[in-house]
């Protein structure tokens, strides 16, 4: 996918969230949109930070791990360091938590609401090295634009 595709997808995402204040409803629609629009993925969804762990939120795909300790696995590392994790081969990631044995690569992007880190967007693929630098840039752009919509109102 090219960056223009991600810009169009971001416009769709922002329009989809417009006017709705419930965080869970917004993340549900966002995971459905990403599942429809991204190819070669097998899971997309959100984990929400609650105390010292990530708890499964809205997603599309097979049943998933419900709780992930902060600092463990790709998602836990992303939230602990507040950094994007783009992993070409999850089997080479020390401490990887395998919710679905079919997943081979993963990208995780932390997100905030009103300046508070609240969770991560997690996308898995059955392909090794599925996510490129362009995918990372496009998805980070999408998450930052969605954060602006979520920040503009109370979503708690």
């Amino acid at each position: 996918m090219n960056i223009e595709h991600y810009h169009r997808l971001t416009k769709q995402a922002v329009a989809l969230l417009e006017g709705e204040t419930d965080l869970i409803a917004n993340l549900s629609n966002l995971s459905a949109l990403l599942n429809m629009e991204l190819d070669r993925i097998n899971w997309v969804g959100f984990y929400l930070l609650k105390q010292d762990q990530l708890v499964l939120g809205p997603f599309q795909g097979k049943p998933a791990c419900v709780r992930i300790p902060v600092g463990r696995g790709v998602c836990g590392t992303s939230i602990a360091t507040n950094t994007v994790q783009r992993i070409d081969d999850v089997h080479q990631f020390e401490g990887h938590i395998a919710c679905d044995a079919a997943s081979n690569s993963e990208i995780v992007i932390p997100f905030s609401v009103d300046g508070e880190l609240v969770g991560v967007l997690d996308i898995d693929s059955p392909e090794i090295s599925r996510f490129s630098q362009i995918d990372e840039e496009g998805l980070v752009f999408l998450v930052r634009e969605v954060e602006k919509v979520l920040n503009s109102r109370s979503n708690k």
Side-chain angles (χ1 to χ4, degrees):
M1 261 197 280
N2 59 35
I3 201 70
E4 290 79 23
H5 179 82
Y6 280 107
H7 285 224
R8 282 192 303 278
L9 184 56
T10 298
K11 285 180 184 172
Q12 286 179 279
V14 168
L16 191 61
L17 306 184
E18 207 56 53
E20 179 51 59
T21 60
D22 187 84
L23 181 62
I24 299 300
N26 282 328
L27 297 181
S28 296
N29 270 336
L30 193 53
S31 65
L33 176 68
L34 291 171
N35 190 55
M36 283 180 4
E37 294 294 327
L38 298 178
D39 60 351
R40 303 178 348 261
I41 65 168
N42 60 336
W43 199 93
V44 56
F46 296 89
Y47 279 92
L48 301 173
L49 185 60
K50 300 196 183 206
Q51 284 107 30
D52 60 346
Q53 57 189 342
L54 289 166
V55 178
L56 182 63
F59 72 94
Q60 302 279 312
K62 289 183 179 178
C65 303
V66 175
R67 295 178 185 274
I68 299 173
V70 169
R72 290 225 28 243
V74 180
C75 289
T77 298
S78 179
I79 199 83
T81 59
N82 194 16
T83 59
V84 173
Q85 298 290 307
R86 180 168 46 105
I87 310 301
D88 289 334
D89 182 352
V90 295
H91 308 290
Q92 303 302 313
F93 188 91
E94 189 173 335
H96 173 249
I97 300 168
C99 295
D100 181 351
S103 293
N104 287 309
S105 61
E106 184 171 7
I107 188 165
V108 181
I109 303 161
F111 70 98
S112 301
V113 175
D114 296 329
E116 180 184 335
L117 197 58
V118 294
V120 297
L121 167 61
D122 179 22
I123 307 174
D124 295 351
S125 173
E127 292 181 17
I128 299 270
S129 302
R130 157 63 180 88
F131 303 103
S132 68
Q133 183 65 36
I134 289 173
D135 292 308
E136 180 176 338
E137 290 170 12
L139 289 165
V140 167
F141 177 75
L142 182 143
V143 168
R144 298 304 167 245
E145 292 300 306
V146 165
E147 282 177 331
K148 289 178 187 175
V149 174
L150 299 177
N151 288 337
S152 68
R153 51 190 121 92
S154 176
N155 278 277
K156 306 271 173 166

